[in-house]
Amino acid sequence: MPCSIGEGLAYSYYTGFLKPVLPSLASRLSKYPLVFSKKLFILIPTSGNLPSRLQDADSDIVHLGQTDALMLDRGGIAGRSYANNVYSVKKTQLVVDMPANLLTLRDIEMDADFPDFTEGEAKTEVLKFVAQLEKILLKNVELASMCVIVTYDDSTTKPSAALQKFMG
C-alpha cells in the first residue's frame, strides 16, 4: 500500500528522531531544572514553513540553549549528536522541536520539476504527516507519553500562542 509524502515523512521523523531521542530526553535536562515539562513539544505549523530560528518568528519565545547531547552511531555516522532546544515561552521553559524534514514539502513546492505541487498540496501533506505521526504514537504509548504534538495555523496564530494552550 503506497503512502503519501507526508505519511512517509512522519515515519522518517519517528524512526530517525523521536524513537532514539525521546527515551533519554528527561535525563538530558540537567541544565534546566525549571523546565515546565520533561516532554518534547513538537511544534508543527500547517503551512510547513519552519523558521530557521524559532525565536526570530515570535518575540514571546526566547532560546535558552540545548539539552545535553545524545550520541549515537546511526546511518553510518559514528557519534551522531542529538540535542534538543530549550525555550522560554512567556517565562515558561519548554523543550521544543519542529520536524525539519517537513521543509522537504516547501522544497518540492518551489521545485520547477513539480509544478502541480502547490501550497495547498503542501498543507495537505503536513496534515497527513500529523495524522500519521499520531497514529504511529498510538502504537507506542510509552513514547507518546513523552511528547505533545502542537499543530497550529501559522497564518493566524503565533507559535507561543499555540504552545500556551498546552502549558496548563
Side-chain angles (χ1 to χ4, degrees):
M1 174 171 156
C3 70
S4 72
I5 296 169
E7 291 166 330
L9 290 173
Y11 274 103
S12 174
Y13 183 65
Y14 174 75
T15 59
F17 182 72
L18 293 179
K19 199 171 177 183
V21 168
L22 284 177
S24 67
L25 179 62
S27 66
R28 293 183 295 109
L29 287 169
S30 60
K31 295 188 285 191
Y32 302 97
L34 301 178
V35 75
F36 164 73
S37 171
K38 302 228 184 258
K39 294 182 179 188
L40 177 67
F41 288 79
I42 304 168
L43 189 60
I44 304 173
T46 56
S47 72
N49 291 321
L50 311 179
S52 296
R53 295 167 31 106
L54 186 54
Q55 63 273 24
D56 293 343
D58 187 334
S59 61
D60 290 326
I61 296 177
V62 176
H63 183 255
L64 299 176
Q66 292 186 327
T67 62
D68 296 331
L70 170 67
M71 304 298 280
L72 296 174
D73 296 340
R74 277 183 75 85
I77 298 174
R80 183 176 289 233
S81 177
Y82 295 86
N84 301 95
N85 286 310
V86 179
Y87 296 94
S88 174
V89 180
K90 296 204 173 190
K91 301 191 191 255
T92 300
Q93 295 181 11
L94 301 170
V95 183
V96 180
D97 186 66
M98 298 182 86
N101 64 350
L102 285 176
L103 291 171
T104 302
L105 298 172
R106 185 193 65 205
D107 293 343
I108 294 171
E109 183 186 337
M110 302 299 201
D111 192 321
D113 289 340
F114 299 97
D116 295 333
F117 194 84
T118 64
E119 185 178 328
E121 289 289 326
K123 185 173 184 174
T124 297
E125 293 301 325
V126 169
L127 297 176
K128 287 180 181 181
F129 173 95
V130 172
Q132 189 63 44
L133 186 57
E134 289 172 341
K135 188 175 174 182
I136 293 166
L137 288 169
L138 280 175
K139 294 178 186 175
N140 191 328
V141 179
E142 185 178 352
L143 286 184
S145 70
M146 298 176 193
C147 61
V148 177
I149 299 172
V150 181
T151 307
Y152 69 103
D153 181 350
D154 51 319
S155 68
T156 60
T157 306
K158 291 174 31 174
S160 59
L163 287 164
Q164 282 185 295
K165 293 179 184 178
F166 294 89
M167 292 173 12

